[in-house]
Amino acid sequence: MTPADKDQALHTILAALRTYQGLGYGDPDNRPNDIHEIATNGGDQISMDAVGIAELCEMLNFGDLELTHKDDLTTDKGPFTVAQCDESSRLNIEVQGLGGVLLNRTGDGLVIDVTGQNEDNPVIGSLALLESDFSAESDEPQTGGRVMVPVTLNTFDAQGNQMDTQSMDLADHQVSDIIDHASQLVVVMRDMGAGNCGIEAFDQVYSQLEEAIVTADIVDPCDRPLPTLHLLD
């Protein structure tokens, strides 16, 4: 829509509003039924009175209210094309060569649908976020849409007998990080037993594992020295 087209539409709307105003249609009793249906959106809205019509004309005249064509709501940013959908609560982002992302603001939060190029099964992934996920004041842990993994920890006495059990939920990336370091620790300890590496490798990998566990709030930081390891042939 060119600037000239917008200017033409603006003045046509202003002329129609002034005619509406001059016929006294600000008073519902003066309107024909079909005009009243339009003014109230079929009874869903309270129509403007004469004062409201005058204020609307002033807003249009002084640029406080601008006309925007649907095409103006579409912007291109590199491989992305962002477009407002027919519903104001939905926004579509097209990704050149891949598919698209549809954002849908619902009454409960935000739904994100990722679509591909398969017309028979276009949706390849979805994520639903509640309003509480965006709130810093929520009492619930903020997972940011991540998968939570239940983890059980046991404590033992000096004889190796299980004394207590504690359960907690960790984010999937925290579990993955801990498993990576724990697996590396097993490999290092086997290499130490075979004489292929020394205590320095153990200290390094153990420190990384401990840091991952502390970061996940499983245990508190501790400055106590490590117990001595005795590896038998």
Side-chain angles (χ1 to χ4, degrees):
M1 193 174 190
T2 66
D5 292 335
K6 288 184 179 180
D7 192 59
Q8 182 186 53
L10 170 64
H11 288 90
T12 300
I13 292 172
L14 279 171
L17 286 172
R18 292 304 187 189
T19 301
Y20 185 97
Q21 190 179 35
L23 293 172
Y25 286 174
D27 184 348
D29 292 336
N30 294 335
R31 297 177 198 148
N33 291 336
D34 56 342
I35 299 298
H36 184 72
E37 284 289 307
I38 297 173
T40 61
N41 192 26
D44 291 338
Q45 301 290 335
I46 297 176
S47 60
M48 285 185 174
D49 57 13
V51 175
I53 297 298
E55 291 177 349
L56 178 57
C57 289
E58 289 184 7
M59 291 172 64
L60 289 168
N61 265 321
F62 292 101
D64 296 328
L65 182 63
E66 295 185 356
L67 300 179
T68 302
H69 191 269
K70 182 179 179 180
D71 292 343
D72 296 335
L73 299 177
T74 301
T75 57
D76 293 325
K77 299 293 183 181
F80 302 101
T81 300
V82 183
Q84 183 73 51
C85 299
D86 292 338
E87 299 178 30
S88 60
S89 61
R90 296 162 67 90
L91 184 70
N92 185 58
I93 305 172
E94 294 182 4
V95 185
Q96 184 178 1
L98 293 179
V101 178
L102 178 63
L103 307 179
N104 184 15
R105 178 64 165 97
T106 67
D108 297 323
L110 180 68
V111 176
I112 305 172
D113 291 326
V114 181
T115 59
Q117 299 180 13
N118 186 343
E119 295 182 357
D120 296 331
N121 187 23
V123 178
I124 59 178
S126 295
L127 176 65
L129 298 172
L130 298 175
E131 288 190 2
S132 59
D133 293 327
F134 296 87
S135 173
E137 300 178 357
S138 172
D139 294 333
E140 297 295 328
Q142 301 298 304
T143 65
R146 289 189 178 274
V147 176
M148 303 302 290
V149 180
V151 175
T152 301
L153 299 176
N154 299 321
T155 55
F156 301 87
D157 61 16
Q159 288 73 41
N161 299 311
Q162 182 177 330
M163 298 293 295
D164 192 17
T165 298
Q166 180 184 6
S167 297
M168 62 182 66
D169 290 332
L170 300 180
D172 54 354
H173 73 284
Q174 294 174 322
V175 174
S176 176
D177 192 31
I178 292 170
I179 291 176
D180 285 346
H181 295 305
S183 300
Q184 185 63 49
L185 184 62
V186 171
V187 172
V188 167
M189 294 186 69
R190 288 187 174 186
D191 286 344
M192 289 175 64
N196 296 327
C197 66
I199 192 65
E200 295 82 4
F202 173 85
D203 288 343
Q204 179 180 352
V205 176
Y206 180 87
S207 296
Q208 293 171 345
L209 174 60
E210 184 177 36
E211 181 182 357
I213 293 175
V214 170
T215 301
D217 292 329
I218 298 176
V219 298
D220 296 326
C222 178
D223 296 328
R224 291 194 299 270
L226 293 175
T228 302
L229 295 177
H230 298 282
L231 300 178
L232 303 177
D233 295 332

